[in-house]
Structures are given as C-alpha cells and as structure tokens.
Amino acid sequence: MAKTYINGIGCVSAQATVDGFPSEFALDENTNFLELVKPEYKDYFSPIASRRMAKGVKNGIVASTLAMKEAGIENLDAIITGTGMGCIEDSDKFLKAIIDNNEQFLTPTSFIQSTHNTVASTIAINLGCKAYNFTYVNGAVSFESALVDAKLQFDADEVSNVLVGGIDEMTEYTKSLFKLAGFIKPDESGPHKILGSHTKATVFSEGATFFMLSDTKTESTYAELVDIETINKLELSKVGHKAIEFLKANNLTQHDIDAVVLGFDGDVEFDEYYKELAREFAFTPQVYYKHVSGEYNTASAFGLYVGSNVLKNQEIPQQLKVNEVEKPSYHKILLYNQYRGIDHSFTLISI
C-alpha cells in the first residue's frame, strides 16, 4: 500500500491562517460566533467573479490554491471535498426567492450554486481538471469521509496527488435557526470558556481547510496520514476502548502516542466524550482548537491543520494546550472529534 503524505495545507478560518500557522491566536470569549478573517479575494480571482461566488466557494478556492502552491503541485488525480451544510448562502437566497415571488419567475442561478458540490466543481473548472471529483455530505464526518476516500485510492495505488478539503459557511438566517435549536450559545451569555464550560450549546463559526495529499514525501511534508475511522454512534463509556482498538489496528498502544487533539467545543452535555478520552490519555499532551476556530461540521479539518503543524514545528502552542504534559518530540498524534454525541472520528498522523 502506498504512503499518504500531507504536503501542503491552505486554511481560511476565524484566525489569520492564510499567511501560515499563527504564532499567536486571537481569542474572543464574549461572542457566540467567531467571524471569519477574510483573505484578500482579489489576489485569487477578479472582483466580477467574486460577486457571483458564495462565501464557501471563495474560501474553498483560496484554501485549495494555498495548499497546492505550498506542495508545488499543479496536476491533480482527484478533488474530494466534505461539507455539512454546503452552499447554504445560495440555498437561503433561492428559498427566499420562492416565497417572495410566490413560486413564480424564479431564476435558476442561486439553485445551481446552492448544490453541495459547487466548491469542488468550481475548483476543477478553474484548474481545467477533469479527474475524479466527489463531495461528501455526511454531517460532522463529512471531511473524514473525504479523507477515507482519498486514503483508499492511495492504498490501491490509483492516485499520486489528491486535493482534499472541508468547507462550511454560515448565514444570518441559519445562525438564527441554530440559536433557536440550541446549537449556538445565546446572545449576551458570555464569557464562554470552552474548557470547563457549564452551559449547553457551542460557539460557532465557518471556514475552509484544504490538504494536498501525495504519495511522495517532500521538503514541504507535514505528516503522514496513517489511518482514519468514523463511527456514527458510540457509547460514552466505550470511547477510550474504541481509541485503543483503533491504535491496536495500527500496531500501536496508548504510550506510542505523543499528543491527542480533541474537539472540545464548550457544550457541557457532549464534551464528556472528550473528557472520557482525555482520562485514558492523562499522561499524554492534549490539544484543543475550537476556542480559536469555532464549531462547524468540518471543523475537524482545522483540527488536522493544527495536528499537522504540531508535527512539523515540533511544538504545541501554549494557547492550544489542555494540560501541561510535554514531550521532547512529537512523532505520532491521535485526533478525535464528535458532534452532539454522534459522528465520531479517529485520525492518526505521524512523521
């Protein structure tokens, strides 16, 4: 089976990640939604094209361009994306037009651009890439589903360079619905402490993170993508056992792991899953990231971005530390994520 290496990363998020991995992260504990740090879109496409693009499409193009540029890759064997909400901005526009126009005289533009595979297809059109192009819409494991697809193709020696990304966007209308549903913490309810939170719901955001995966290790390599596993439902008491099983399948034990990256999001009801795993790895450096990225369906892609940079830089930023356990070096990292008790994922990366 061929190896799978992360050779380039592009990230558009609530942090200044377009220029690389931040040396310091901006923290705002008084808001329930972390606003995106917008890149200079005019550096990537014309203002005319920009006006026709939804946020997710623009951010996806920027992030994918950065990942490919860093890896020095121009020709792709596949483009695979994951998204939980898709291009919700255009979906909102189309549904509003249906109501406002009494279901008559509708223009198809917003409907065409609202499909979940718009980002992957737009990237392919811009590159003139006619290779395998697929988008996974699978809740909070949408990004991991894309990773699994790519990994299987590498294992079968069918590809050499694959662009994989996770993209989600948010609109004011959808945000209001999420607040009503209790997914986002109430307005004016801060400050929000992600670790040690005593309230339900989360601090939300949006973003796009792309990875250039290749079968060859280069000077730009961050890490090797070793394995990914997703589980729809998992009992709280079995989280630690499942993590150990996952490592055992890769001929590893808990003590072989140099750090764990956990998706703590401040929801007191569901952060128990992370606490359960943290107890199993109490002797291991622990990392969290959703206090700087916010929560969204593909936020785990930001988690992989963090884990990959820890391996490349051999350092865990102080602002991302859950505990004060340290290792002299980092070689293997386990990532775990879930959302509201379902869509669990385990990802293993190494150098």
Side-chain angles (χ1 to χ4, degrees):
M1 295 193 297
K3 298 276 189 178
T4 305
Y5 297 101
I6 299 172
N7 286 349
I9 304 178
C11 182
V12 179
S13 69
Q15 299 294 324
T17 48
V18 172
D19 297 322
F21 193 63
S23 57
E24 190 170 336
F25 294 86
L27 298 176
D28 185 354
E29 296 180 339
N30 293 312
T31 182
N32 58 359
F33 186 86
L34 301 180
E35 295 293 340
L36 202 75
V37 177
K38 294 181 180 179
E40 288 289 342
Y41 293 124
K42 61 181 175 58
D43 294 341
Y44 299 89
F45 33 75
S46 70
I48 295 174
S50 180
R51 283 199 295 270
R52 295 196 297 268
M53 294 179 185
K55 284 188 295 183
V57 177
K58 289 190 282 191
N59 296 330
I61 291 174
V62 172
S64 61
T65 300
L66 291 170
M68 292 179 66
K69 182 179 180 180
E70 185 176 32
I73 299 296
E74 295 181 356
N75 298 315
L76 301 173
D77 298 309
I79 299 172
I80 311 174
T81 62
T83 179
M85 300 293 290
C87 295
I88 193 70
E89 187 175 24
D90 281 302
S91 298
D92 283 357
K93 286 179 183 178
F94 184 70
L95 292 173
K96 187 175 185 300
I98 290 176
I99 297 169
D100 292 345
N101 294 290
N102 197 29
E103 301 183 23
Q104 298 182 61
F105 313 115
L106 298 172
T107 59
T109 307
S110 292
F111 174 73
I112 294 168
Q113 294 177 341
S114 71
T115 56
H116 290 68
N117 64 343
T118 300
V119 178
S121 59
T122 303
I123 293 170
I125 291 169
N126 289 349
L127 294 173
C129 177
K130 299 179 181 178
Y132 178 88
N133 192 299
F134 208 88
T135 295
Y136 285 88
V137 185
N138 198 13
V141 290
S142 297
F143 172 67
E144 287 81 358
S145 299
L147 278 182
V148 169
D149 187 346
K151 189 73 174 71
L152 288 171
Q153 294 194 51
F154 277 106
D155 289 346
D157 291 322
E158 293 180 355
V159 293
S160 294
N161 298 298
V162 178
L163 184 66
V164 178
I167 318 100
D168 273 298
E169 63 182 26
M170 180 61 73
T171 65
E172 288 300 320
Y173 180 66
T174 303
K175 195 190 300 181
S176 68
L177 295 180
F178 274 34
K179 288 175 185 176
L180 285 173
F183 297 161
I184 299 179
K185 291 185 185 293
D187 294 335
E188 310 298 331
S189 60
H192 306 295
K193 292 283 187 183
I194 299 303
L195 292 183
S197 171
H198 299 290
T199 58
K200 293 184 179 181
T202 69
V203 174
F204 250 72
S205 190
E206 56 192 342
T209 309
F210 272 78
F211 300 83
M212 191 66 244
L213 305 181
S214 301
D215 59 0
T216 306
K217 193 173 184 178
T218 68
E219 290 184 0
S220 68
T221 297
Y222 285 79
E224 179 190 348
L225 180 64
V226 180
D227 197 8
I228 315 102
E229 184 175 354
T230 63
I231 307 103
N232 180 241
K233 292 183 179 179
L234 186 62
E235 291 180 24
L236 177 61
S237 60
K238 294 182 178 178
V239 171
H241 178 69
K242 186 62 187 176
I244 294 168
E245 272 190 352
F246 175 70
L247 294 176
K248 187 177 180 180
N250 287 281
N251 301 312
L252 298 172
T253 68
Q254 290 167 276
H255 295 278
D256 293 317
I257 298 301
D258 299 305
V260 290
V261 179
L262 304 169
F264 282 106
D265 63 7
D267 189 320
V268 66
E269 187 175 0
F270 301 106
D271 272 357
E272 288 299 320
Y273 285 92
Y274 300 117
K275 292 178 182 177
E276 182 69 22
L277 193 67
R279 283 189 284 270
E280 289 286 346
F281 289 84
F283 49 83
T284 307
Q286 298 172 7
V287 183
Y288 74 132
Y289 57 92
K290 289 180 183 173
H291 60 308
V292 296
S293 73
E295 178 67 280
Y296 49 98
N297 283 133
T298 52
S300 56
F302 189 92
L304 182 57
Y305 165 69
V306 169
S308 300
N309 274 282
V310 169
L311 288 181
K312 189 168 187 176
N313 302 329
Q314 288 295 296
E315 182 183 7
I316 299 174
Q318 185 62 39
Q319 291 170 295
L320 306 186
K321 290 182 178 180
V322 175
N323 59 15
E324 292 302 321
V325 179
E326 293 186 0
K327 289 283 183 79
S329 60
Y330 300 95
H331 297 275
K332 293 178 175 63
I333 291 181
L334 174 68
L335 298 95
Y336 169 59
N337 188 63
Q338 57 81 32
Y339 180 61
R340 298 186 65 80
I342 60 171
D343 290 344
H344 304 260
S345 65
F346 296 93
T347 304
L348 178 64
I349 57 177
S350 71
I351 55 171

